[in-house]
């Protein structure tokens, strides 16, 4: 347990992806089975202990610590798991700390009635870090900045295999993954994917620059619209139906309407969108109503129905189609989708074009606001997992830009911790003669290292107020720094004072030349909001 | 029995003894000051006369110049000094080199002012001695049950393990210039670390003073040399005051990994906010267990609390049946440590 706890502590404080990767590989290499496998399960969200609830922890701790002292402590620390782990009275039992696998076993067999005693017994046996890890493990949500994808990447590095191989196997495996580790260490054969309706790693596209296009033969490529929904894979085999996200997470539970219509045998690749294919397609903010939900209400299903716009076929009637060239897959797909319920499935249309210029014209004037560009797919290419260079390209619509004024700057993390590198920017609102800035977004990339130094210096020289790691900088019509911010779109938001939220904002240019008074006004952004 | 407030009371300048007409650790210039230790919020320049240990007087001279007070007098540990109708004695506090508690006594009543103190082992200064007293005035920097400082050698072990795991990164450890930095270096030496330790310019004079006082720190080199490229090799340990960590100064090192040696590092969020990758829980202040145990050991019937989280320690005293009150003294900060 102590190794797992130490890993969590280090991950929380290591901002760099490479640093995290290294810590994970190091852990998998030095911690034996089955503990490393349970660690992997914890990081990938594969463990669930419904019997332990935060309220129970609070009750437990106040049986042992004066409630007033606990309240002072909680108020100071701010996080329940951390407070409990720190104030829990040490029993001197740290020497016989249980292994992670034992902690998992005890939590998994605890019933709702004996969970408090099980939890208290664990906390008595662990160090403060161990207690923190046990609480995070029991209540779910480690929040150490490691995605399932990163954990699998670490496995790939550890075993010297491609991450796609792991993803392809993943959904048929169970904690503590001893067979997987044995294979990765070269001690056993690759585990067979025994799971019905498994996920197949998806094929991804490279962005293409206009200059590159001239090197490409237009007739070798087919084009489709690039839809701004979420990439999904619908798999139905042997009576099992599963809907996967692009990283292979099973998201079936959130979309019963679509899963209910999966009356086929095969694996489809496409875009999940809101609306009805025949009536019209909803916006990305409509789709957001359906994302990140564990359960969906009847009203939600009626108001925001989802459908799948299909663009590839991986398996049809038990036959793997991935080795076929795109053109053949496309023909199969067209027949396949034609037989499916039309309210839930349609075919992403091809966009005919004779030359790049014609396609560019279409890309700039898409027929629907949910289109964010075009996809180019080589007609002779098989379906390849990962992001191979050449067969698939995305040619996005140009981003939106706005001229905004820098308002606050915050210190970065890790390598950038001595720089003010996270910027909150605003645009003007209120009467023209007495405008005020309203914050509209935050960006922390898009600039070069040299520009970062310039902005950092500017922030330090123009600070008007400091709160912890944040500095407010001078921002008036006559004095301030204008940032040209690029972004992919706008959503309505009730959480932001401005009423809108930017998607993927980044700094496009520093406009040292531009007086802040000439930056954009909020009305310019509101005009870009989807209707509703 | 006399009223305790005739022996010590709080005034805007600091803790005042009416009967002896002196202040302890005053925050403004006064006629006569007794100073517990050399940290800036306890030891200020400009008093008429200062009574303190030899080391504290030396450290004040180092920081403020030889004329930091009109007159100075050395207090030897345990020696009784009469001031008007009051007897005072200085006893080791275990906080930093020269740090002392001050016992103030008259008419059979004794009050002990702890200054800043700790109970855990420190190779760079004399250990704290509990002094029986009627009233104990204690610091409360880490007075919450969440603050339990692990053994310092375990934290040093974490630092050395990180140096082994990331040999290409320069480990910059923030440590308060007086006391913490020297203790950290001395602990590294005890753990068998023999490489040169690179120090920020702000630490040079204090480290040299510790060495002259008999605290061996091993090979030390300046972390930055003006106009030369003698940068510490990758994998080196650099010790710097905490304020330097977030500043441009730290950028010149190869792939820096920021550490911070402080009792505050017990709280993850504190470490995260400062961009610290390697928190080291090494404190020169007593943790919760040390604070509560020490109150018991002094046998004091009454406790006055200052310098930190007074309300939690007052609550503990209430539960333990000991009279307690917060002493609201202005001018002390949470030490950056
Ligand atoms: Zn101090
Ligand atoms: Zn202090």
């Amino acid at each position: 347990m102590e190794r797992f706890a130490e890993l969590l502590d280090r991950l929380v404080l290591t901002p760099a992806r490479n640093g995290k990767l290294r810590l994970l590989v190091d852990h998998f290499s030095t911690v034996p089975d089955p503990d490393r496998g349970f660690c992997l399960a914890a990081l990938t969200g594969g463990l669930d202990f419904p019997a332990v609830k935060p309220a129970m922890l609070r009750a437990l701790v106040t049986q042992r610590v004066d409630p007033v002292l606990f309240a002072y402590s909680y108020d100071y620390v701010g996080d329940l798991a951390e407070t409990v782990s720190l104030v829990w009275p040490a029993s001197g039992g740290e020497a016989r700390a249980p292994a992670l696998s034992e902690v998992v076993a005890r939590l998994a067999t605890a019933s709702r009635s004996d969970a408090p005693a099980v939890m208290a017994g664990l906390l008595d046996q662990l160090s403060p870090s161990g207690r923190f890890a046990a609480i995070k493990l029991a209540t779910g949500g480690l929040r150490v900045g490691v995605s399932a994808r990163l954990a699998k990447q670490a496995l790939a590095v550890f075993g010297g295999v491609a991450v796609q191989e792991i993803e392809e196997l993943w959904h048929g495996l169970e904690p503590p993954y001893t067979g997987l580790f044995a294979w990765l260490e070269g001690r056993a054969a690759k585990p067979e994917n025994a799971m019905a309706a498994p996920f197949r790693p998806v094929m991804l596209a490279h962005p293409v620059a206009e200059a590159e296009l001239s090197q490409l033969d237009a007739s070798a490529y087919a084009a489709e619209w690039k839809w701004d929904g979420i990439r999904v894979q619908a798999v139905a085999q042997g009576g099992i139906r599963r809907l996967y996200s692009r990283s292979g997470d099973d998201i079936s539970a959130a979309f019963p309407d679509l899963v209910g219509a999966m009356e086929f045998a095969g694996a489809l690749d496409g875009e999940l969108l809101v609306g009805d294919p025949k009536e019209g397609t909803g916006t990305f903010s409509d789709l957001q109503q359906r994302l990140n939900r564990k359960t969906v209400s009847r009203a939600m299903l009626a108001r925001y129905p989802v459908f799948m716009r299909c663009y590839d076929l991986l398996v049809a009637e038990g036959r793997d189609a991935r080795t076929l060239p795109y053109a053949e897959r496309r023909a199969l797909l067209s027949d396949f989708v034609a037989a499916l319920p039309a309210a839930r499935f349609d075919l992403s249309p091809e966009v005919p074009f004779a030359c790049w210029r014609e396609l560019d014209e279409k890309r700039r004037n898409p027929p629907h606001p949910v289109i964010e560009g075009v996809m180019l797919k080589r007609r002779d290419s098989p379906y390849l997992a990962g992001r191979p260079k050449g067969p698939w390209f995305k040619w996005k619509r140009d981003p939106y830009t706005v001229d905004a004024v820098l308002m606050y700057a915050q210190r970065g993390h890790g390598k950038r911790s001595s720089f003010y590198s996270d910027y909150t920017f605003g645009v003007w609102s209120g009467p023209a003669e007495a405008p005020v800035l309203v914050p509209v977004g935050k960006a922390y990339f898009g600039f070069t290292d040299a520009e970062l130094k310039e902005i950092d210096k500017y922030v330090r020289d123009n600070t008007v107020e400091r709160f912890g790691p944040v500095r407010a900088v001078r921002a008036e019509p006559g004095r301030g720094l204008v940032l040209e911010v690029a972004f992919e779109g706008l959503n309505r938001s009730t959480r932001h004072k401005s009423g809108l939220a930017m998607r993927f904002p980044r700094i496009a240019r520093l406009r040292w030349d531009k007086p802040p008074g000439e930056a954009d006004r909020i009305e310019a952004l509101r005009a870009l909001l989807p209707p509703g | 029995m006399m009223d305790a407030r005739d022996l010590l009371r709080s005034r805007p300048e600091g803790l005042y003894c009416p009967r002896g007409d002196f202040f302890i650790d005053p925050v403004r210039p006064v006629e006569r000051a007794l100073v517990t230790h050399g940290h800036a919020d306890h030891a200020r320049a400009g008093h008429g006369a200062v009574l303190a240990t030899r080391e504290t007087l030396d450290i004040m001279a180092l920081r403020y110049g030889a004329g930091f007070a009109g007159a100075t007098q050395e207090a030897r540990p345990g020696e009784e000094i009469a001031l008007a109708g009051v007897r005072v004695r200085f006893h080791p506090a275990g906080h930093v080199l020269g740090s002392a508690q001050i016992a103030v006594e008259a008419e059979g009543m004794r009050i002990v002012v702890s200054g800043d103190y700790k109970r855990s082992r420190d190779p760079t200064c004399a250990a704290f001695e509990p002094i029986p007293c009627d009233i104990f005035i204690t610091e409360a920097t880490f007075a919450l049950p969440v603050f339990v400082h692990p053994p310092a050698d375990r934290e040093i072990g974490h630092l050395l393990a990180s140096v082994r795991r990331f040999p290409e990164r320069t480990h910059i450890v923030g440590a308060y210039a007086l006391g913490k930095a020297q203790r950290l270096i001395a602990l590294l030496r005890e753990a068998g670390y023999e490489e040169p330790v690179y120090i920020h310019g702000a630490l040079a004079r204090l480290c040299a003073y510790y060495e002259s006082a008999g605290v061996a720190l091993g090979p030390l080199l300046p972390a930055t040399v003006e106009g030369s490229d003698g940068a510490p090799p990758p994998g080196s340990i650099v010790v710097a005051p905490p304020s330097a960590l977030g500043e441009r100064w730290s950028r010149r090192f190869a792939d820096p990994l920021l550490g911070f040696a402080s009792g505050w590092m017990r709280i993850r969020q504190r470490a995260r906010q400062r961009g610290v990758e390697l928190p080291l829980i090494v404190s020169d202040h007593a943790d919760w267990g040390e604070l509560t145990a020490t109150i018991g050991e002094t046998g004091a019937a009454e406790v006055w609390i200052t310098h930190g989280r007074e309300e939690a320690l007052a609550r503990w005293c209430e539960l333990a049946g000991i009279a307690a009150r917060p002493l609201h003294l202005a001018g002390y900060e949470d030490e950056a440590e």
Side-chain angles (χ1 to χ4, degrees):
Chain A
M1 190 63 181
E2 295 303 311
R3 287 296 308 274
F4 175 64
E6 191 210 328
L7 176 69
L8 295 193
D9 281 347
R10 291 293 313 250
L11 287 172
V12 167
L13 297 173
T14 303
R17 188 176 177 280
N18 273 337
K20 289 184 203 275
L21 207 53
R22 204 143 139 200
L23 290 168
L24 291 170
V25 173
D26 194 48
H27 190 84
F28 296 144
S29 318
T30 54
V31 173
D33 289 324
D35 277 20
R36 59 180 171 182
F38 285 115
C39 168
L40 177 61
L43 292 168
T44 52
L47 298 173
D48 186 26
F49 308 107
V52 183
K53 291 275 175 288
M56 183 196 99
L57 285 168
R58 202 191 274 255
L60 273 183
V61 74
T62 49
Q63 284 163 16
R64 282 165 178 75
V65 178
D66 172 52
V68 177
L69 288 175
F70 177 74
Y72 285 140
S73 300
Y74 186 26
D75 181 57
Y76 181 81
V77 175
D79 176 83
L80 183 69
E82 185 164 11
T83 311
V84 172
S85 72
L86 292 175
V87 303
W88 192 268
S91 65
E94 292 178 25
R96 346 166 246 113
L100 173 60
S101 47
E102 191 186 334
V103 173
V104 169
R106 285 201 232 164
L107 288 172
T109 51
S111 69
R112 196 158 287 253
S113 59
D114 65 6
V118 168
M119 202 64 210
L122 283 175
L123 297 179
D124 278 340
Q125 285 184 292
L126 293 165
S127 72
S129 276
R131 294 195 282 262
F132 180 74
I135 294 170
K136 286 288 181 190
L137 188 69
T139 53
L142 296 179
R143 294 210 203 102
V144 291
V146 173
S147 61
R149 169 90 187 165
L150 188 65
K152 291 170 197 166
Q153 194 77 54
L155 285 176
V157 173
F158 167 68
V161 302
V163 68
Q164 291 83 10
E165 283 197 79
I166 297 194
E167 281 185 342
E168 191 140 345
L169 284 173
W170 185 254
H171 293 273
L173 301 175
E174 294 282 342
Y177 309 108
T178 37
L180 175 70
F181 280 106
W183 168 58
L184 292 174
E185 287 177 334
R187 295 184 283 109
K190 187 171 172 175
E192 294 216 5
N193 193 341
M195 186 192 188
F199 171 71
R200 275 98 179 160
V202 300
M203 181 163 179
L204 300 166
H206 277 272
V208 72
E210 252 131 293
E212 283 175 81
L213 279 176
S214 57
Q215 318 285 324
L216 300 176
D217 172 10
S219 67
Y221 287 86
E224 294 164 19
W225 297 120
K226 180 169 172 19
W227 301 96
D228 189 12
I230 64 164
R231 180 91 178 262
V232 290
Q233 188 177 115
V235 187
Q237 272 175 331
I240 305 287
R241 297 172 179 186
R242 291 182 201 275
L243 190 67
Y244 294 103
S245 72
R246 59 183 267 173
S247 53
D249 295 317
D250 188 334
I251 54 172
S252 312
F255 302 99
D257 42 353
L258 183 63
V259 174
M262 285 167 53
E263 292 155 5
F264 57 83
L268 283 166
D269 185 5
E271 202 82 2
L272 186 81
L273 295 162
V274 154
D276 181 309
K278 297 183 300 301
E279 305 287 321
T281 306
T283 63
F284 190 81
S285 39
D286 292 335
L287 179 58
Q288 277 191 319
Q289 306 295 324
R290 290 289 304 269
L291 300 182
N292 302 318
R293 286 177 189 277
K294 284 237 162 73
T295 55
V296 247
S297 67
R298 207 175 275 272
M300 273 288 166
L301 290 174
R303 183 141 180 234
Y304 301 106
V306 294
F307 71 95
M308 182 169 174
R309 184 149 283 159
C310 306
Y311 39 69
D312 220 315
L313 181 67
L314 313 186
V315 180
E317 312 295 346
R319 183 169 157 233
D320 196 332
R322 287 178 290 177
T323 51
L324 301 175
Y326 169 80
E328 283 183 44
R329 293 201 311 277
R330 175 87 196 174
L332 288 174
L333 175 71
S334 172
D335 293 345
F336 196 90
V337 172
L340 300 180
R344 298 292 179 191
F345 296 91
D346 78 348
L347 184 68
S348 181
E350 284 197 338
V351 182
F353 68 101
C355 63
W356 295 128
R357 181 181 296 184
E358 185 189 346
L359 186 61
D360 190 18
E361 192 59 34
K362 292 185 170 173
R363 175 184 73 103
R364 286 167 193 277
N365 302 291
H368 194 282
V370 189
I371 291 170
E372 53 172 6
V374 291
M375 297 293 300
L376 304 174
K377 299 182 176 176
R378 254 195 97 89
R379 295 179 192 278
D380 59 3
S381 161
Y383 191 93
L384 300 167
R387 205 186 290 276
K389 180 107 195 176
W392 283 18
F393 291 103
K394 52 187 174 192
W395 192 11
K396 294 239 245 181
R397 185 195 56 218
D398 298 330
Y400 301 103
T401 61
V402 64
D403 284 336
V405 185
L406 176 65
M407 298 176 70
Y408 305 98
Q410 182 171 356
R411 275 214 180 125
H413 288 282
K415 271 190 193 177
R416 302 212 300 193
S417 61
S418 71
F419 291 95
Y420 285 89
S421 62
D422 297 10
Y423 310 115
T424 301
F425 47 84
V427 295
W428 299 107
S429 72
E433 59 288 358
V436 284
L437 283 171
V438 49
V440 291
K442 224 177 164 180
Y444 45 91
F445 65 97
F447 36 81
T448 63
D449 285 353
E451 287 173 328
L452 172 59
K453 283 192 184 144
E454 289 171 31
I455 311 177
D456 179 77
K457 177 164 177 2
Y458 179 85
V459 169
R460 290 172 192 272
D461 294 346
N462 289 279
T463 301
V464 291
E465 231 181 310
R466 305 175 63 150
F467 345 78
V470 178
R471 290 185 184 216
V473 297
R474 233 174 128 169
E476 301 147 18
R479 196 60 202 280
L481 173 57
V482 177
L483 306 170
E484 184 181 315
V485 177
F487 57 100
E488 294 305 310
L490 290 178
N491 294 332
R492 292 182 187 279
S493 165
T494 49
R495 280 186 302 137
H496 298 86
K497 201 166 134 197
S498 59
L500 49 87
M502 269 184 189
R503 299 182 53 206
F504 304 117
R506 67 266 181 191
I507 309 294
R509 268 197 304 166
L510 306 181
R511 297 295 306 268
W512 298 104
D513 56 309
K514 191 158 192 168
E518 292 173 23
D520 281 306
R521 288 187 55 88
I522 188 78
E523 291 79 9
L525 287 176
R526 293 215 173 106
L528 297 175
L529 277 173
Chain B
M1 197 145 163
M2 71 183 294
D3 183 348
R5 290 172 46 82
D6 289 337
L7 202 48
L8 281 176
R9 63 170 62 190
S10 59
R11 290 243 307 242
E13 298 93 327
L15 200 55
Y16 178 62
C17 175
R19 188 176 279 224
D21 190 25
F22 60 81
F23 286 87
I24 295 177
D25 291 351
V27 295
R28 297 183 201 160
V30 300
E31 225 12 74
R32 176 175 268 285
L34 278 57
V35 174
T36 59
H37 67 287
H39 279 147
D41 54 339
H42 297 257
R44 312 226 173 194
H47 303 309
V50 169
L51 174 61
T53 62
R54 173 80 268 144
E55 295 86 350
T56 299
L57 293 174
D58 288 344
I59 289 164
M60 290 177 78
L62 218 55
R63 294 191 138 176
Y64 305 124
F68 67 90
T72 62
Q73 183 187 343
E74 176 186 341
R76 289 188 196 83
E79 173 195 41
E80 187 172 295
I81 298 168
L83 296 170
V86 179
R87 297 185 303 282
V88 302
R89 272 184 300 155
F90 283 56
H91 299 278
H95 175 57
V96 297
L97 184 60
S99 66
Q101 320 167 63
I102 301 176
V104 181
E105 204 169 341
E107 286 181 35
M109 169 176 284
R110 183 190 292 162
I111 302 181
V112 169
V113 180
S114 77
D116 292 341
Y117 72 99
K118 71 170 174 291
R119 306 297 302 272
S120 55
R121 207 183 70 81
D122 181 343
T124 69
C125 65
F128 180 96
E129 290 168 12
I131 308 299
C133 56
D134 302 295
I135 297 175
F136 185 50
I137 303 183
T138 182
E139 65 135 318
T141 307
F142 290 111
L144 278 176
V146 296
F147 291 110
V148 179
H149 308 323
D153 54 354
R154 202 191 83 179
E155 301 300 293
I156 295 297
H158 287 166
L159 171 58
L160 293 174
S162 177
V163 169
R164 282 193 298 273
R165 191 183 290 179
F166 298 101
E168 76 288 6
R169 302 184 68 182
T170 305
H171 285 60
I172 307 181
V173 184
Y176 203 56
L178 168 58
K180 184 66 61 62
Q182 295 78 22
R183 183 179 176 211
L184 189 79
I185 297 168
L187 288 169
L188 278 167
R189 299 309 180 198
E190 282 191 349
Y193 186 75
E194 284 167 3
E195 302 300 316
V197 172
Y198 293 83
I199 56 174
H200 185 280
L203 307 182
R205 279 192 306 170
L206 285 163
C207 286
Y209 176 70
Y210 266 63
E211 294 249 41
S212 73
V215 179
L217 300 177
L220 302 179
L221 290 175
T224 49
V225 181
E226 210 55 57
S228 101
D229 45 16
S236 300
I237 296 177
V238 174
V239 181
S243 56
L245 290 192
E247 287 307 315
R248 301 176 207 189
W249 182 82
S250 65
R251 290 179 199 163
R252 61 186 81 202
F253 301 100
D255 195 4
L257 188 156
L258 302 188
F260 189 18
S262 160
W264 302 116
M265 292 298 102
R266 176 84 167 164
I267 313 293
R268 282 176 187 77
Q269 205 47 38
R270 283 258 184 158
R272 218 169 170 171
Q273 272 165 3
R274 300 191 66 126
V276 170
E277 269 188 71
L278 185 68
L280 301 170
I281 311 169
V282 180
S283 173
D284 284 336
H285 293 269
D287 70 5
W288 178 254
E290 295 170 34
L291 289 168
T292 55
T294 302
I295 290 173
E297 284 173 47
T298 63
E302 191 173 334
V303 175
W304 297 352
I305 308 162
T306 172
H307 216 73
R309 266 135 285 278
E310 290 93 353
E311 57 308 298
L313 201 54
R315 169 69 180 177
W316 180 87
C317 289
E318 181 189 324
L319 295 172
I322 299 170
R325 68 180 177 92
L327 196 62
H328 296 292
L329 292 174
Y332 297 96
E333 305 126 25
D334 269 1
E335 261 160 40
E337 275 223 351

